[in-house]
Amino acid sequence: MRRTLAAILLAGWLVAGCSASGGEGSTIPTTAPTTTTTMAATSTTATSTTTAPATTTTTTTTTMPATTTTTTLPEGFPEEGRVNVLLMGGDSGVGRHGIRTDTMIVLSIDPATGEVAMFGIPRNLWGLPFPPGHPGVGSFDCGDCFGGIANEIYQWGAGRPDLFGEEDPGAAAAKTLLGHLLGLEIHYYALVDLQGFVDVIDAVGGIDIQVFQPISDDEYPNVDGTFSEIDLAPGTYHMEGHQALYYARSRHATDDFNRMARQRCVLQALAQQVNPLTWLGRLAVIREAVATDLPPAVAIYLIELLPDFDTATIAAIRFMPNAPEFAGTENSYIAGWTADRYPMPDRDFIAATVATVLSLPPADAISQLGLQPLETVCGPAAP
């Protein structure tokens, strides 16, 4: 099913907040009460327990920008036209101190064509390099790199306005280091927390998700600081906010990289299943849930662009160890491992891969690089 570029961007804002979990360094109280919940699959789509408010339908006429002529973009777009947005999911909430961005996804969008590439950065990548000559060089024992894992960059940067400026230095640090890793200038960011994700999934009436492998967690940290034992069996589900959060967030029975794949499925489901008018009708909820520096003129332009957009043609890469596109080869996005078994990125190879993806039409990039189409990971598109 084809949906709009507006849908994929808004969906991306939500998926950014779905993966914060009670991993190492978590400050959730260990004495919180435990409940047990068993989620049963259904052979047909279940009825959502949340009814999205009705929206008023209006008729608008949108002129598609021609790809053979120069497109005039509003102020706020980069000169080359392509806009890169960093989506981050923070784990702030009850019983937590500070913020770790356990989800980091960069969307690169061509507003003239609607082409989208999606780059996932694992939370535990260690030693992301600073750009040459950046004042942050020398801040850590590793010299020209960030001496921690990627999900710690935002929090560290927030305390270093001397390096990243007074206005949201945490986001500036993340955009700088992750952008250099990918060889991109990241123009904007969006940050959403756990409760914000739940609220907006509920506001749009939930999403349909096909679960292929069991997902079990005997101590799942709920948004309210309590813990639950949850089992999600294979099957098709209509998920409300908390259940969708569990699907996209839990990693105790799998790993970070499997979780990254599930996040892409949530993104696909939101883009395919939620009508653009529903998104527009829920903008007030989204504004409450999302912190962003995306200018209103850019957001409005993307919403009004309304190109035919097919989630099957997203070129999506996870820069992780044992990436599926390298099965049977010695190629890897990882240059080595720390003594604590954190992966260290091969920055030059990652940046070259990103450049290749953005130089090709998405379908060609998927084919040439051997990438997994979203339908392979998430199941066929909704009708």
Side-chain angles (χ1 to χ4, degrees):
M1 171 183 277
R2 293 177 181 268
R3 289 301 183 198
T4 65
L5 180 58
I8 197 71
L9 181 61
L10 294 173
W13 284 352
L14 302 181
V15 172
C18 71
S19 76
S21 67
E24 63 270 23
S26 174
T27 56
I28 299 177
T30 58
T31 57
T34 299
T35 59
T36 301
T37 304
T38 300
M39 299 177 179
T42 58
S43 57
T44 58
T45 302
T47 302
S48 171
T49 56
T50 301
T51 302
T55 57
T56 300
T57 302
T58 59
T59 301
T60 60
T61 301
T62 303
T63 302
M64 291 289 296
T67 57
T68 57
T69 59
T70 301
T71 301
T72 301
L73 299 175
E75 183 178 355
F77 272 92
E79 291 183 2
E80 69 272 19
R82 197 167 192 111
V83 60
N84 304 314
V85 183
L86 170 61
L87 310 174
M88 295 183 289
D91 66 353
S92 58
V94 177
R96 297 173 179 265
H97 302 284
I99 183 170
R100 297 172 302 177
T101 56
D102 281 349
T103 298
M104 290 160 287
I105 299 171
V106 174
L107 291 181
S108 184
I109 306 162
D110 186 336
T113 65
E115 294 176 354
V116 176
M118 182 163 58
F119 306 111
I121 297 93
R123 69 180 187 90
N124 63 346
L125 278 188
W126 187 93
L128 272 64
F130 286 97
H134 190 275
V137 171
S139 298
F140 298 90
D141 291 342
C142 58
D144 62 353
C145 77
F146 176 72
I149 58 176
N151 73 346
E152 298 172 334
I153 292 173
Y154 182 93
Q155 182 68 32
W156 172 77
R160 295 303 304 269
D162 56 316
L163 299 178
F164 299 102
E166 295 290 339
E167 186 175 350
D168 206 345
K175 290 194 290 186
T176 297
L177 284 157
L178 298 178
H180 181 60
L181 174 71
L182 302 179
L184 296 176
E185 179 184 358
I186 296 179
H187 306 104
Y188 305 113
Y189 82 96
L191 173 65
V192 66
D193 65 11
L194 303 177
Q195 187 59 53
F197 174 87
V198 171
D199 290 344
V200 181
I201 292 289
D202 285 341
V204 299
I207 53 176
D208 296 331
I209 291 288
Q210 188 172 356
V211 178
F212 293 96
Q213 298 177 341
I215 306 171
S216 300
D217 198 328
D218 58 5
E219 199 174 15
Y220 172 70
N222 298 304
V223 174
D224 63 4
T226 64
F227 289 84
S228 295
E229 180 179 349
I230 303 179
D231 294 308
L232 193 64
T236 299
Y237 295 81
H238 186 79
M239 296 185 176
E240 47 77 36
H242 284 284
Q243 191 177 28
L245 180 64
Y246 169 74
Y247 167 77
R249 181 186 180 200
S250 178
R251 63 184 173 88
H252 287 281
T254 54
D255 56 32
D256 281 329
F257 313 117
N258 180 279
R259 179 173 68 174
M260 291 173 71
R262 282 181 267 129
Q263 292 165 9
R264 296 193 300 177
C265 298
V266 173
L267 177 61
Q268 181 197 45
L270 284 164
Q272 290 174 342
Q273 298 169 24
V274 181
N275 186 287
L277 289 177
T278 300
W279 281 116
L280 293 172
R282 306 298 182 269
L283 284 178
V285 177
I286 294 171
R287 290 192 191 101
E288 288 294 321
V290 178
T292 183
D293 59 355
L294 191 69
V298 175
I300 291 171
Y301 182 89
L302 293 175
I303 291 172
E304 293 181 345
L305 186 59
L306 298 177
D308 264 350
F309 174 75
D310 191 349
T311 57
T313 62
I314 295 178
I317 302 181
R318 294 168 289 163
F319 293 114
M320 65 185 199
N322 303 314
E325 58 265 30
F326 296 143
T329 76
E330 295 184 357
N331 294 334
S332 179
Y333 299 121
I334 305 305
W337 298 80
T338 68
D340 296 330
R341 298 301 296 168
Y342 287 120
M344 296 183 292
D346 185 336
R347 186 268 168 186
D348 291 342
F349 183 45
I350 289 173
T353 301
V354 170
T356 298
V357 169
L358 299 186
S359 70
L360 298 170
D364 291 348
I366 292 170
S367 175
Q368 181 171 316
L369 297 178
L371 304 178
Q372 289 183 317
L374 284 180
E375 288 190 4
T376 300
V377 179
C378 307

